[in-house]
Amino acid sequence: FQAEDGIRDLVRSRGLGDVYKRQGMAQAVDETGAILINASGSLASMAKEDRIVRLTPNAEHRAKAMAALLAKDGIEHLIVLYRDSETADELHKTVKRYFAGRVTAVAGSEHLDEMARGPVEKALAKTAADKVAMFVIGPNEPRRLLDALTPDSPLLAVRWYGDESIAKDERLIATQAVAPRAAQVRFTCPTYSLEGFGLFLPQVQSLGYLLKTDSDAPVLTLAINAYDALWLAARAYERAGVDASPEELWEKLTNQANHVYGLGGPTFLDVNGDRLFCAYTFYTVAQEGTQYCWKPTALYRHAAFLSGIIALD
């Protein structure tokens, strides 16, 4: 909000795709004097002083949560597997920064199962299978790999973890050839959620009832962030006035964020304008009877009153 006409002009002149890239959006904010509230962006490289409030914690928090879970699970050697891209490489490096064990990266454009076989076999030659794990990055890679592997693949002898992009993916547990293998490797992924706080859930349930659709799908945390973003902006305008300068409005906005508990929990910000406190739920593919499901197995919270992993199983 603020300087929205400038953003529109920038989109018209450069194209939507260019402006919506990470660097393009930051440049648009600088050029137009706009103030943005981002309800979903989480890359660690976006964490810098600017006029962008991010209501999703940056990936540094998620990497700390993943490292804490890996330590709890006794993992000593992590093989990170991903289709080569700037975003995936950044996520790999962020996790590596916080994981205390050994990390081997395997990145490529195709045949990732073949590329990973050697590193996994080498790891198993030196380390017990229950202390070796794979971290597979990407929304589609885990499903593709699990479908393509042969039953005797060494990749199925170790535990698997994934990133937030595939957490609770219904397609994975609904695919007949994939679901049993996902349960076999105890495929586990984090998702940013409120359950780790143990608070705010009644409000979220009430919002879910008000926004109920025919699909019965739960209200996503990112949608709750968008709801909170609207109120933060409205309250900032209420206090600064509609004719306030960007500087005045920014001061009121950040002040509000640092004193508000929204539906998504405390919106307190760090020095970069990113959400300071966060919570994640880890889901693991499990078999229940003849069906497969995503079962919550651990919580992670970073809060003023408590931080760390809480095991559920």
Side-chain angles (χ1 to χ4, degrees):
F1 62 99
Q2 191 81 333
E4 61 270 18
D5 290 339
I7 292 289
R8 290 195 195 100
D9 291 341
L10 217 55
V11 169
R12 291 191 191 102
S13 64
R14 296 186 189 173
L16 184 63
D18 180 62
V19 173
Y20 271 27
K21 291 177 183 177
R22 284 178 289 153
Q23 297 88 346
M25 184 55 75
Q27 184 178 356
V29 169
D30 290 340
E31 290 184 13
T32 63
I35 295 173
L36 300 181
I37 305 179
N38 190 330
S40 61
S42 65
L43 286 173
S45 60
M46 298 171 67
K48 55 186 178 181
E49 291 189 55
D50 49 29
R51 282 207 297 268
I52 303 176
V53 167
R54 297 174 186 85
L55 292 184
T56 299
N58 79 60
E60 295 272 349
H61 291 282
R62 195 163 71 247
K64 290 177 183 178
M66 179 67 75
L69 183 68
L70 292 169
K72 183 194 80 68
D73 289 343
I75 303 303
E76 297 178 358
H77 191 158
L78 185 67
I79 293 116
V80 184
L81 185 63
Y82 58 95
R83 194 168 292 271
D84 203 9
S85 72
E86 180 184 355
T87 300
D89 189 54
E90 179 180 321
L91 181 55
H92 146 242
K93 290 176 180 176
T94 305
V95 171
K96 183 177 180 178
R97 194 153 53 243
Y98 294 101
F99 177 57
R102 183 178 179 184
V103 175
T104 300
V106 180
S109 57
E110 56 185 14
H111 306 304
L112 292 181
D113 54 334
E114 297 175 13
M115 294 177 65
R117 186 182 184 97
V120 171
E121 288 178 336
K122 286 184 180 179
L124 291 174
K126 299 179 180 179
T127 309
D130 63 348
K131 298 185 181 302
V132 178
M134 289 210 320
F135 177 36
V136 186
I137 299 175
N140 300 312
E141 292 314 311
R143 207 166 54 248
R144 289 174 183 159
L145 286 169
L146 289 168
D147 190 36
L149 295 176
T150 59
D152 62 344
S153 171
L155 276 63
L156 295 174
V158 300
R159 185 158 186 180
W160 285 33
Y161 297 83
D163 65 40
E164 194 171 27
S165 66
I166 196 172
K168 302 176 71 175
D169 186 340
E170 291 296 322
R171 294 171 298 173
L172 188 143
I173 60 175
T175 305
Q176 187 174 2
V178 171
R181 290 181 172 180
Q184 177 185 341
V185 299
R186 293 181 291 162
F187 187 49
T188 300
C189 305
T191 181
Y192 170 56
S193 67
L194 302 177
E195 284 80 2
F197 284 128
L199 304 170
F200 315 109
L201 298 181
Q203 300 96 301
V204 171
Q205 291 166 354
S206 297
L207 182 63
Y209 178 79
L210 292 172
L211 301 179
K212 184 178 174 62
T213 64
D214 292 337
S215 68
D216 286 330
V219 178
L220 299 177
T221 301
L222 298 184
I224 295 168
N225 283 351
Y227 181 88
D228 285 345
L230 175 63
W231 279 104
L232 286 175
R235 292 168 75 95
Y237 271 120
E238 178 187 30
R239 283 156 177 75
V242 294
D243 296 322
S245 68
E247 291 74 20
E248 291 172 318
L249 199 58
W250 177 255
E251 188 274 328
K252 296 298 183 184
L253 174 66
T254 53
N255 184 269
Q256 278 299 294
N258 285 320
H259 290 85
V260 166
Y261 281 75
L263 280 181
T267 57
F268 307 158
L269 306 175
D270 63 19
V271 294
N272 294 315
D274 291 343
R275 195 172 205 132
L276 178 60
F277 299 130
C278 60
Y280 296 92
T281 301
F282 286 91
Y283 289 88
T284 301
V285 177
Q287 183 175 7
E288 293 190 349
T290 60
Q291 303 296 315
Y292 293 88
C293 65
W294 287 96
K295 179 182 178 182
T297 52
L299 304 173
Y300 174 89
R301 70 176 64 152
H302 168 62
F305 52 90
L306 182 65
S307 295
I309 285 284
I310 304 168
L312 299 179
D313 64 345

PDB file of all heavy atoms in Angstrom, residues 236-260:
ATOM      1  N   ALA A 236      -2.617   1.353  10.818  1.00  0.00           N
ATOM      2  CA  ALA A 236      -1.570   2.334  10.546  1.00  0.00           C
ATOM      3  C   ALA A 236      -2.172   3.594   9.929  1.00  0.00           C
ATOM      4  O   ALA A 236      -1.832   4.719  10.313  1.00  0.00           O
ATOM      5  CB  ALA A 236      -0.517   1.733   9.619  1.00  0.00           C
ATOM      6  N   TYR A 237      -3.074   3.417   8.975  1.00  0.00           N
ATOM      7  CA  TYR A 237      -3.751   4.562   8.368  1.00  0.00           C
ATOM      8  C   TYR A 237      -4.601   5.309   9.390  1.00  0.00           C
ATOM      9  O   TYR A 237      -4.682   6.537   9.382  1.00  0.00           O
ATOM     10  CB  TYR A 237      -4.633   4.106   7.202  1.00  0.00           C
ATOM     11  CG  TYR A 237      -3.927   4.065   5.878  1.00  0.00           C
ATOM     12  CD1 TYR A 237      -3.830   2.873   5.158  1.00  0.00           C
ATOM     13  CD2 TYR A 237      -3.383   5.218   5.332  1.00  0.00           C
ATOM     14  CE1 TYR A 237      -3.189   2.841   3.933  1.00  0.00           C
ATOM     15  CE2 TYR A 237      -2.733   5.189   4.105  1.00  0.00           C
ATOM     16  CZ  TYR A 237      -2.635   3.996   3.408  1.00  0.00           C
ATOM     17  OH  TYR A 237      -2.000   3.972   2.196  1.00  0.00           O
ATOM     18  N   GLU A 238      -5.252   4.569  10.281  1.00  0.00           N
ATOM     19  CA  GLU A 238      -6.093   5.194  11.296  1.00  0.00           C
ATOM     20  C   GLU A 238      -5.277   6.134  12.172  1.00  0.00           C
ATOM     21  O   GLU A 238      -5.742   7.214  12.549  1.00  0.00           O
ATOM     22  CB  GLU A 238      -6.741   4.103  12.156  1.00  0.00           C
ATOM     23  CG  GLU A 238      -7.614   4.635  13.281  1.00  0.00           C
ATOM     24  CD  GLU A 238      -8.088   3.532  14.211  1.00  0.00           C
ATOM     25  OE1 GLU A 238      -7.365   2.521  14.361  1.00  0.00           O
ATOM     26  OE2 GLU A 238      -9.162   3.694  14.805  1.00  0.00           O
ATOM     27  N   ARG A 239      -4.041   5.733  12.493  1.00  0.00           N
ATOM     28  CA  ARG A 239      -3.217   6.522  13.399  1.00  0.00           C
ATOM     29  C   ARG A 239      -2.417   7.607  12.680  1.00  0.00           C
ATOM     30  O   ARG A 239      -2.125   8.651  13.248  1.00  0.00           O
ATOM     31  CB  ARG A 239      -2.294   5.596  14.188  1.00  0.00           C
ATOM     32  CG  ARG A 239      -3.041   4.878  15.310  1.00  0.00           C
ATOM     33  CD  ARG A 239      -2.369   3.574  15.719  1.00  0.00           C
ATOM     34  NE  ARG A 239      -3.095   2.981  16.842  1.00  0.00           N
ATOM     35  CZ  ARG A 239      -4.269   2.359  16.722  1.00  0.00           C
ATOM     36  NH1 ARG A 239      -4.851   2.243  15.540  1.00  0.00           N
ATOM     37  NH2 ARG A 239      -4.874   1.832  17.784  1.00  0.00           N
ATOM     38  N   ALA A 240      -2.042   7.349  11.427  1.00  0.00           N
ATOM     39  CA  ALA A 240      -1.209   8.321  10.706  1.00  0.00           C
ATOM     40  C   ALA A 240      -2.040   9.273   9.852  1.00  0.00           C
ATOM     41  O   ALA A 240      -1.588  10.386   9.539  1.00  0.00           O
ATOM     42  CB  ALA A 240      -0.206   7.581   9.823  1.00  0.00           C
ATOM     43  N   GLY A 241      -3.241   8.843   9.455  1.00  0.00           N
ATOM     44  CA  GLY A 241      -4.045   9.656   8.551  1.00  0.00           C
ATOM     45  C   GLY A 241      -3.778   9.270   7.106  1.00  0.00           C
ATOM     46  O   GLY A 241      -2.674   8.848   6.757  1.00  0.00           O
ATOM     47  N   VAL A 242      -4.766   9.445   6.265  1.00  0.00           N
ATOM     48  CA  VAL A 242      -4.649   8.985   4.880  1.00  0.00           C
ATOM     49  C   VAL A 242      -3.664   9.817   4.063  1.00  0.00           C
ATOM     50  O   VAL A 242      -3.208   9.385   3.004  1.00  0.00           O
ATOM     51  CB  VAL A 242      -6.036   8.989   4.185  1.00  0.00           C
ATOM     52  CG1 VAL A 242      -6.952   7.968   4.817  1.00  0.00           C
ATOM     53  CG2 VAL A 242      -6.657  10.380   4.234  1.00  0.00           C
ATOM     54  N   ASP A 243      -3.330  10.993   4.545  1.00  0.00           N
ATOM     55  CA  ASP A 243      -2.391  11.853   3.812  1.00  0.00           C
ATOM     56  C   ASP A 243      -0.972  11.783   4.377  1.00  0.00           C
ATOM     57  O   ASP A 243      -0.113  12.607   4.021  1.00  0.00           O
ATOM     58  CB  ASP A 243      -2.868  13.309   3.850  1.00  0.00           C
ATOM     59  CG  ASP A 243      -4.201  13.496   3.138  1.00  0.00           C
ATOM     60  OD1 ASP A 243      -4.397  12.846   2.093  1.00  0.00           O
ATOM     61  OD2 ASP A 243      -5.039  14.270   3.638  1.00  0.00           O
ATOM     62  N   ALA A 244      -0.714  10.818   5.224  1.00  0.00           N
ATOM     63  CA  ALA A 244       0.609  10.701   5.849  1.00  0.00           C
ATOM     64  C   ALA A 244       1.684  10.383   4.818  1.00  0.00           C
ATOM     65  O   ALA A 244       1.423   9.750   3.791  1.00  0.00           O
ATOM     66  CB  ALA A 244       0.582   9.612   6.914  1.00  0.00           C
ATOM     67  N   SER A 245       2.905  10.814   5.100  1.00  0.00           N
ATOM     68  CA  SER A 245       4.037  10.494   4.227  1.00  0.00           C
ATOM     69  C   SER A 245       4.408   9.019   4.409  1.00  0.00           C
ATOM     70  O   SER A 245       4.039   8.398   5.416  1.00  0.00           O
ATOM     71  CB  SER A 245       5.240  11.364   4.596  1.00  0.00           C
ATOM     72  OG  SER A 245       5.729  10.991   5.888  1.00  0.00           O
ATOM     73  N   PRO A 246       5.129   8.434   3.454  1.00  0.00           N
ATOM     74  CA  PRO A 246       5.563   7.038   3.615  1.00  0.00           C
ATOM     75  C   PRO A 246       6.339   6.818   4.915  1.00  0.00           C
ATOM     76  O   PRO A 246       6.190   5.780   5.558  1.00  0.00           O
ATOM     77  CB  PRO A 246       6.453   6.806   2.395  1.00  0.00           C
ATOM     78  CG  PRO A 246       5.923   7.753   1.369  1.00  0.00           C
ATOM     79  CD  PRO A 246       5.498   8.970   2.143  1.00  0.00           C
ATOM     80  N   GLU A 247       7.154   7.805   5.304  1.00  0.00           N
ATOM     81  CA  GLU A 247       7.945   7.663   6.532  1.00  0.00           C
ATOM     82  C   GLU A 247       7.047   7.607   7.767  1.00  0.00           C
ATOM     83  O   GLU A 247       7.249   6.786   8.671  1.00  0.00           O
ATOM     84  CB  GLU A 247       8.937   8.819   6.656  1.00  0.00           C
ATOM     85  CG  GLU A 247      10.067   8.815   5.628  1.00  0.00           C
ATOM     86  CD  GLU A 247       9.607   9.230   4.243  1.00  0.00           C
ATOM     87  OE1 GLU A 247       8.539   9.881   4.139  1.00  0.00           O
ATOM     88  OE2 GLU A 247      10.301   8.885   3.265  1.00  0.00           O
ATOM     89  N   GLU A 248       6.039   8.489   7.801  1.00  0.00           N
ATOM     90  CA  GLU A 248       5.109   8.495   8.936  1.00  0.00           C
ATOM     91  C   GLU A 248       4.297   7.208   8.981  1.00  0.00           C
ATOM     92  O   GLU A 248       4.084   6.623  10.052  1.00  0.00           O
ATOM     93  CB  GLU A 248       4.162   9.697   8.820  1.00  0.00           C
ATOM     94  CG  GLU A 248       4.830  11.042   9.027  1.00  0.00           C
ATOM     95  CD  GLU A 248       3.889  12.187   8.708  1.00  0.00           C
ATOM     96  OE1 GLU A 248       3.147  12.104   7.700  1.00  0.00           O
ATOM     97  OE2 GLU A 248       3.899  13.171   9.476  1.00  0.00           O
ATOM     98  N   LEU A 249       3.859   6.775   7.824  1.00  0.00           N
ATOM     99  CA  LEU A 249       3.046   5.566   7.758  1.00  0.00           C
ATOM    100  C   LEU A 249       3.860   4.334   8.160  1.00  0.00           C
ATOM    101  O   LEU A 249       3.372   3.453   8.864  1.00  0.00           O
ATOM    102  CB  LEU A 249       2.487   5.398   6.345  1.00  0.00           C
ATOM    103  CG  LEU A 249       1.289   4.465   6.193  1.00  0.00           C
ATOM    104  CD1 LEU A 249       0.126   4.928   7.063  1.00  0.00           C
ATOM    105  CD2 LEU A 249       0.864   4.390   4.725  1.00  0.00           C
ATOM    106  N   TRP A 250       5.123   4.290   7.721  1.00  0.00           N
ATOM    107  CA  TRP A 250       5.997   3.172   8.080  1.00  0.00           C
ATOM    108  C   TRP A 250       6.202   3.118   9.593  1.00  0.00           C
ATOM    109  O   TRP A 250       6.172   2.040  10.190  1.00  0.00           O
ATOM    110  CB  TRP A 250       7.338   3.304   7.374  1.00  0.00           C
ATOM    111  CG  TRP A 250       8.328   2.238   7.749  1.00  0.00           C
ATOM    112  CD1 TRP A 250       9.418   2.366   8.562  1.00  0.00           C
ATOM    113  CD2 TRP A 250       8.299   0.871   7.339  1.00  0.00           C
ATOM    114  NE1 TRP A 250      10.082   1.163   8.686  1.00  0.00           N
ATOM    115  CE2 TRP A 250       9.415   0.224   7.950  1.00  0.00           C
ATOM    116  CE3 TRP A 250       7.458   0.126   6.526  1.00  0.00           C
ATOM    117  CZ2 TRP A 250       9.707  -1.131   7.750  1.00  0.00           C
ATOM    118  CZ3 TRP A 250       7.738  -1.231   6.335  1.00  0.00           C
ATOM    119  CH2 TRP A 250       8.846  -1.838   6.943  1.00  0.00           C
ATOM    120  N   GLU A 251       6.394   4.270  10.212  1.00  0.00           N
ATOM    121  CA  GLU A 251       6.590   4.306  11.664  1.00  0.00           C
ATOM    122  C   GLU A 251       5.350   3.785  12.384  1.00  0.00           C
ATOM    123  O   GLU A 251       5.455   3.007  13.334  1.00  0.00           O
ATOM    124  CB  GLU A 251       6.907   5.748  12.088  1.00  0.00           C
ATOM    125  CG  GLU A 251       7.334   5.889  13.552  1.00  0.00           C
ATOM    126  CD  GLU A 251       6.155   6.039  14.494  1.00  0.00           C
ATOM    127  OE1 GLU A 251       5.141   6.620  14.067  1.00  0.00           O
ATOM    128  OE2 GLU A 251       6.236   5.572  15.657  1.00  0.00           O
ATOM    129  N   LYS A 252       4.165   4.188  11.942  1.00  0.00           N
ATOM    130  CA  LYS A 252       2.925   3.726  12.572  1.00  0.00           C
ATOM    131  C   LYS A 252       2.701   2.239  12.322  1.00  0.00           C
ATOM    132  O   LYS A 252       2.247   1.504  13.209  1.00  0.00           O
ATOM    133  CB  LYS A 252       1.729   4.520  12.044  1.00  0.00           C
ATOM    134  CG  LYS A 252       1.765   6.005  12.379  1.00  0.00           C
ATOM    135  CD  LYS A 252       1.745   6.240  13.882  1.00  0.00           C
ATOM    136  CE  LYS A 252       1.718   7.737  14.193  1.00  0.00           C
ATOM    137  NZ  LYS A 252       1.802   8.008  15.652  1.00  0.00           N
ATOM    138  N   LEU A 253       3.027   1.780  11.119  1.00  0.00           N
ATOM    139  CA  LEU A 253       2.825   0.373  10.781  1.00  0.00           C
ATOM    140  C   LEU A 253       3.691  -0.536  11.634  1.00  0.00           C
ATOM    141  O   LEU A 253       3.210  -1.506  12.230  1.00  0.00           O
ATOM    142  CB  LEU A 253       3.141   0.144   9.295  1.00  0.00           C
ATOM    143  CG  LEU A 253       3.120  -1.316   8.826  1.00  0.00           C
ATOM    144  CD1 LEU A 253       1.711  -1.889   8.914  1.00  0.00           C
ATOM    145  CD2 LEU A 253       3.649  -1.425   7.399  1.00  0.00           C
ATOM    146  N   THR A 254       4.986  -0.244  11.713  1.00  0.00           N
ATOM    147  CA  THR A 254       5.882  -1.096  12.487  1.00  0.00           C
ATOM    148  C   THR A 254       5.581  -1.012  13.976  1.00  0.00           C
ATOM    149  O   THR A 254       5.709  -1.999  14.705  1.00  0.00           O
ATOM    150  CB  THR A 254       7.352  -0.725  12.216  1.00  0.00           C
ATOM    151  OG1 THR A 254       7.533   0.686  12.424  1.00  0.00           O
ATOM    152  CG2 THR A 254       7.738  -1.072  10.792  1.00  0.00           C
ATOM    153  N   ASN A 255       5.160   0.162  14.436  1.00  0.00           N
ATOM    154  CA  ASN A 255       4.775   0.302  15.834  1.00  0.00           C
ATOM    155  C   ASN A 255       3.570  -0.566  16.148  1.00  0.00           C
ATOM    156  O   ASN A 255       3.512  -1.232  17.187  1.00  0.00           O
ATOM    157  CB  ASN A 255       4.488   1.766  16.155  1.00  0.00           C
ATOM    158  CG  ASN A 255       4.178   1.976  17.627  1.00  0.00           C
ATOM    159  OD1 ASN A 255       3.034   1.922  18.039  1.00  0.00           O
ATOM    160  ND2 ASN A 255       5.217   2.215  18.416  1.00  0.00           N
ATOM    161  N   GLN A 256       2.603  -0.568  15.234  1.00  0.00           N
ATOM    162  CA  GLN A 256       1.423  -1.410  15.422  1.00  0.00           C
ATOM    163  C   GLN A 256       1.809  -2.889  15.447  1.00  0.00           C
ATOM    164  O   GLN A 256       1.362  -3.655  16.300  1.00  0.00           O
ATOM    165  CB  GLN A 256       0.425  -1.172  14.283  1.00  0.00           C
ATOM    166  CG  GLN A 256      -0.454   0.039  14.473  1.00  0.00           C
ATOM    167  CD  GLN A 256      -1.307  -0.088  15.723  1.00  0.00           C
ATOM    168  OE1 GLN A 256      -2.182  -0.938  15.810  1.00  0.00           O
ATOM    169  NE2 GLN A 256      -1.035   0.746  16.704  1.00  0.00           N
ATOM    170  N   ALA A 257       2.643  -3.300  14.493  1.00  0.00           N
ATOM    171  CA  ALA A 257       3.037  -4.709  14.408  1.00  0.00           C
ATOM    172  C   ALA A 257       3.707  -5.176  15.692  1.00  0.00           C
ATOM    173  O   ALA A 257       3.524  -6.317  16.124  1.00  0.00           O
ATOM    174  CB  ALA A 257       3.976  -4.916  13.218  1.00  0.00           C
ATOM    175  N   ASN A 258       4.459  -4.294  16.320  1.00  0.00           N
ATOM    176  CA  ASN A 258       5.187  -4.663  17.535  1.00  0.00           C
ATOM    177  C   ASN A 258       4.344  -4.593  18.801  1.00  0.00           C
ATOM    178  O   ASN A 258       4.867  -4.803  19.901  1.00  0.00           O
ATOM    179  CB  ASN A 258       6.427  -3.775  17.678  1.00  0.00           C
ATOM    180  CG  ASN A 258       7.525  -4.165  16.725  1.00  0.00           C
ATOM    181  OD1 ASN A 258       7.769  -5.339  16.498  1.00  0.00           O
ATOM    182  ND2 ASN A 258       8.185  -3.183  16.140  1.00  0.00           N
ATOM    183  N   HIS A 259       3.061  -4.299  18.647  1.00  0.00           N
ATOM    184  CA  HIS A 259       2.177  -4.266  19.812  1.00  0.00           C
ATOM    185  C   HIS A 259       0.900  -5.075  19.607  1.00  0.00           C
ATOM    186  O   HIS A 259      -0.019  -4.995  20.408  1.00  0.00           O
ATOM    187  CB  HIS A 259       1.789  -2.808  20.142  1.00  0.00           C
ATOM    188  CG  HIS A 259       2.921  -1.993  20.692  1.00  0.00           C
ATOM    189  ND1 HIS A 259       3.822  -1.362  19.887  1.00  0.00           N
ATOM    190  CD2 HIS A 259       3.296  -1.734  21.974  1.00  0.00           C
ATOM    191  CE1 HIS A 259       4.718  -0.723  20.634  1.00  0.00           C
ATOM    192  NE2 HIS A 259       4.419  -0.928  21.904  1.00  0.00           N
ATOM    193  N   VAL A 260       0.867  -5.863  18.528  1.00  0.00           N
ATOM    194  CA  VAL A 260      -0.379  -6.536  18.153  1.00  0.00           C
ATOM    195  C   VAL A 260      -0.234  -8.050  18.201  1.00  0.00           C
ATOM    196  O   VAL A 260       0.798  -8.605  17.834  1.00  0.00           O
ATOM    197  CB  VAL A 260      -0.810  -6.093  16.726  1.00  0.00           C
ATOM    198  CG1 VAL A 260      -1.884  -7.003  16.168  1.00  0.00           C
ATOM    199  CG2 VAL A 260      -1.309  -4.657  16.748  1.00  0.00           C
TER     200      VAL A 260
END
